[in-house]
Amino acid sequence: MTPDASESTAITETPIDAFESSLVLVSNRQPYSHRHEDGEIVVDRPVGGLTAGLDPVMQQIDGTWIAWGDGDADAEVTDENDCVRVPPDDPNYTLRRVWLSEDAVDEYYYGYSNQVLWPLCHDLIGKTNFEDRFWSRYKTVNEQFAEAVVEQADEESVVWFQDYHLALAPSYARAALPETTLFQFWHIPWPTWDTFRVCPQRHELLDGLLANDLIGFHTERYVENFLGCVDACFEDARVDTDSGEVEYDGETTLVRAFPLGVDAERIGRLAGERDGSFWSEFKAEYGIPEGSHVAVGVDRLDYTKGIPERLDALYHLFETRPEWRERLTYVQKATESRSDIPEYQRLQSQVDERIDRLNERFATDSWRPVVRIDEHLTNPELYGLYAHSDLALVTPVRDGMNLVAKEYVAAQSDSDTEDGVLVLSRMTGAHGELGDTAVTIEPYDEAALADQIEEALTMPDHERERRMDALRESVLENDLDTWLASLLGTVQGLRRMNTEQADDRNRQETKS
Ligand code: ADQ
């Protein structure tokens, strides 16, 4: 999905102005990439919900964003310090690029990040691949990111590391920036000690993360798991589970839950902008018969998302309850992801085989049970699809949060369409907030999932509306702005405290 940056709204209700130009954001993925096309250099816009969401924040405060320069023309537009001003049409913040060789991408990104930390944190130990070269490279690439941070930041700065690609960079940066406020948001689950202790590099990873002043997770459960791991791993760490504070190596780190939300107002608005003919044209284009219910699934093709499990439940439904044939169409928008990793290639084949099996077994002259969308959908098209679908199937076997569930709810605000039903796995972070009023499912229970899909399809109108009203209220209240305000408000408090402590130290040194 490539949301159009021009569709993003400015974030105005957060304490971000307090950061002015001092925010240094560090992530693996960059918000803009430059590439060659037909002899010209073109710019690709923010990819993914969060990158698109943080871009307006950076524009507002003129901060610095450090990220891997993965575009084939990136190096041609940067200056001698590897920086370029963005957005290209109206430059108002700095993008500092970090250059990675093909081997580095292979071993740090496809290797340690996505074959060790990703499966480990999703409790899928059987899918981990602990190769030595992955770990060595993860260390050197984290050093590279940290060097860029040290060049861009000073003690007044606030440095925000994103996600599991950068677990070691905080401790590398801390050595050169002892007074700077460092914090990190971890977008995926944190496992229990029983899982995490399998990792040979557990000490180094925790040591790296604890160089932050603040670590944010999506849910309280991940916070508890993380604190439990620190407690079990380091005898000399003091862990206060009530306050979420860790004292380790002479420093204090605050560990808190900040459940990420979506820009609900914008999604609702864009979903409503689709004109009256959108849905009938969409159905005609993809061969969905009039009168058929539509269930939608939107995912990166990842083994954590429970896509084969979902398809098996649909097979079970059509097999055991033939009355749903021709009356329910499942629309799958799945985008290829991390295809260089064998585990992901296997998943792609499993999904293809299941879709073929469903369509071969049940299709009629005028209907296919599964419609697969491979084309790019613009944001309004995606949100329009959400708004018109009767249900969303969000069935991960494990997921840090899952923004698709929240986007589906946000898109239901269009008054022209009937409210849909959110079918949501207990194993997502989003279930903590939405589980009471969504239809809760167990991803591994194929027969029960089939029953619950039927329950969602036959839910009485008043019950559907009641549930969607409650979901909408929650998603609108806990949106992207709320998340930013809460996270950055906490950081601002810590920063003030750091400054006061540094001033105290300076005063005492002057006295003595
Ligand atoms: P992801 O695993 O990528 O993110 P998710 O939160 O579901 O998962 O999706 C992120 C964004 O990508 C959403 O905005 C969604 O619309 C978009 N998207 C996903 N698949 C798409 C497709 N096929 N086509 C178009 N758009 C698609 C990680 C964690 C999650 C966590 C997020 C944010 O794994 O648990 O919610 O980060 O922290």
Side-chain angles (χ1 to χ4, degrees):
M1 182 90 246
T2 312
D4 181 350
S6 61
E7 293 166 350
S8 301
T9 46
I11 311 275
T12 49
E13 293 162 19
T14 65
I16 55 173
D17 289 334
F19 293 97
E20 287 163 13
S21 57
S22 63
L23 186 64
V24 178
L25 198 149
V26 197
S27 66
N28 175 65
R29 285 269 171 225
Q30 57 179 348
Y32 297 90
S33 76
H34 291 79
R35 63 181 170 80
H36 292 113
E37 190 178 279
D38 303 331
E40 284 182 21
I41 293 181
V42 295
V43 182
D44 280 340
R45 294 286 178 150
V47 175
L50 188 70
T51 316
L54 291 176
D55 179 61
V57 174
M58 295 304 273
Q59 292 195 37
Q60 199 173 321
I61 59 170
D62 190 2
T64 302
W65 192 320
I66 300 174
W68 161 35
D70 62 341
D72 64 8
D74 277 354
E76 290 171 42
V77 298
T78 46
D79 64 17
E80 65 282 9
N81 299 315
D82 303 324
C83 292
V84 57
R85 297 285 290 169
V86 289
D89 305 338
D90 179 20
N92 46 32
Y93 73 91
T94 300
L95 173 59
R96 159 81 192 256
R97 285 173 170 149
V98 172
W99 309 116
L100 303 180
S101 67
E102 247 178 66
D103 283 348
V105 174
D106 207 33
E107 293 167 347
Y108 139 82
Y109 178 74
Y110 291 111
Y112 201 80
S113 300
N114 286 315
Q115 292 186 64
V116 175
L117 288 174
W118 179 267
L120 183 77
C121 288
H122 288 87
D123 253 319
L124 297 162
I125 296 172
K127 295 193 194 295
T128 51
N129 180 9
F130 291 98
E131 288 190 37
D132 285 350
R133 64 192 178 101
F134 292 170
W135 173 241
S136 317
R137 190 70 78 164
Y138 187 79
K139 286 193 284 188
T140 50
V141 171
N142 268 256
E143 268 164 11
Q144 254 182 284
F145 273 95
E147 278 160 21
V149 168
V150 172
E151 282 170 24
Q152 300 298 143
D154 57 31
E155 60 184 41
E156 302 296 319
S157 305
V158 171
V159 182
W160 183 2
F161 297 96
Q162 299 286 336
D163 231 351
Y164 60 100
H165 315 91
L166 299 168
L168 303 177
S171 59
Y172 297 149
R174 175 59 83 205
L177 297 166
E179 308 289 354
T180 305
T181 304
L182 308 182
F183 73 110
Q184 187 141 10
F185 192 81
W186 193 263
H187 290 264
I188 62 176
W190 191 276
T192 61
W193 174 239
D194 257 2
T195 297
F196 191 64
R197 68 180 175 164
V198 167
C199 179
Q201 296 85 24
R202 56 193 176 278
H203 293 93
E204 291 94 325
L205 290 168
L206 290 175
D207 180 82
L209 286 167
L210 289 172
N212 285 296
D213 296 281
L214 171 72
I215 305 171
F217 291 99
H218 284 301
T219 72
E220 294 295 345
R221 186 190 295 268
Y222 309 152
V223 169
E224 277 166 32
N225 291 348
F226 181 81
L227 293 176
C229 287
V230 173
D231 203 24
C233 197
F234 297 125
E235 272 181 15
D236 53 347
R238 199 189 62 78
V239 176
D240 183 335
T241 44
D242 293 333
S243 65
E245 279 178 2
V246 176
E247 273 174 34
Y248 168 75
D249 203 18
E251 300 293 336
T252 305
T253 303
L254 186 62
V255 186
R256 283 269 166 89
F258 301 94
L260 178 57
V262 296
D263 191 346
E265 186 276 325
R266 170 176 166 266
I267 293 170
R269 181 166 39 78
L270 291 180
E273 273 174 18
R274 302 283 83 195
D275 62 23
S277 58
F278 163 74
W279 192 229
S280 48
E281 282 169 15
F282 186 93
K283 287 201 283 196
E285 185 178 347
Y286 291 104
I288 303 169
E290 284 301 329
S292 169
H293 293 273
V294 172
V296 66
V298 176
D299 318 81
R300 267 186 318 100
L301 261 175
D302 195 293
Y303 51 75
T304 59
K305 303 291 180 186
I307 305 170
E309 290 78 3
R310 189 185 308 164
L311 292 167
D312 287 346
L314 286 163
Y315 192 97
H316 187 89
L317 178 75
F318 289 122
E319 186 66 55
T320 55
R321 272 149 282 186
E323 63 274 23
W324 285 109
R325 296 180 197 170
E326 300 200 323
R327 288 177 53 222
L328 171 65
T329 308
Y330 173 59
V331 175
Q332 173 78 65
K333 172 85 187 100
T335 307
E336 206 176 299
S337 176
R338 306 176 192 167
S339 319
D340 291 17
I341 300 175
E343 198 66 54
Y344 284 76
Q345 293 159 7
R346 267 194 290 282
L347 173 79
Q348 283 162 21
S349 317
Q350 286 168 2
V351 170
D352 290 347
E353 280 161 19
R354 280 169 168 81
I355 292 179
D356 289 347
R357 185 165 155 254
L358 267 149
N359 284 342
E360 278 162 20
R361 169 80 179 85
F362 301 113
T364 63
D365 289 346
S366 56
W367 169 81
R368 276 174 306 155
V370 183
V371 168
R372 185 176 179 145
I373 302 182
D374 292 319
E375 299 77 25
H376 168 75
L377 295 181
T378 62
N379 270 194
E381 285 165 345
L382 178 67
Y383 302 152
L385 169 61
Y386 285 144
H388 287 274
S389 296
D390 300 285
L391 45 147
L393 298 180
V394 181
T395 63
V397 296
R398 179 90 46 179
D399 208 336
M401 173 52 77
N402 193 290
L403 296 182
V404 170
K406 294 187 170 185
E407 289 169 1
Y408 177 72
V409 171
Q412 299 296 310
S413 61
D414 178 9
S415 54
D416 291 349
T417 56
E418 283 192 359
D419 283 344
V421 181
L422 175 64
V423 176
L424 182 62
S425 164
R426 193 186 294 286
M427 305 310 289
T428 60
H431 191 267
E433 293 163 87
L434 308 179
D436 284 349
T437 36
V439 172
T440 298
I441 61 103
E442 311 287 340
Y444 291 119
D445 192 340
E446 177 186 305
L449 179 48
D451 289 345
Q452 283 153 325
I453 293 173
E454 186 169 45
E455 178 197 325
L457 286 166
T458 53
M459 190 178 282
D461 289 354
H462 64 90
E463 178 61 5
R464 199 160 29 82
E465 284 158 16
R466 182 191 71 80
R467 286 175 183 246
M468 190 46 76
D469 279 349
L471 290 170
R472 219 171 1 232
E473 198 179 314
S474 167
V475 167
L476 277 167
E477 200 174 309
N478 302 302
D479 67 355
L480 181 62
D481 275 356
T482 313
W483 180 75
L484 277 167
S486 161
L487 181 57
L488 296 183
T490 308
V491 172
Q492 185 59 2
L494 286 174
R495 188 191 193 196
R496 235 179 272 125
M497 220 166 63
N498 283 349
T499 313
E500 281 164 17
Q501 283 168 355
D503 288 349
D504 281 353
R505 268 196 303 276
N506 288 342
R507 266 196 297 275
Q508 275 165 12
E509 274 165 25
T510 322
K511 266 193 212 159
S512 58

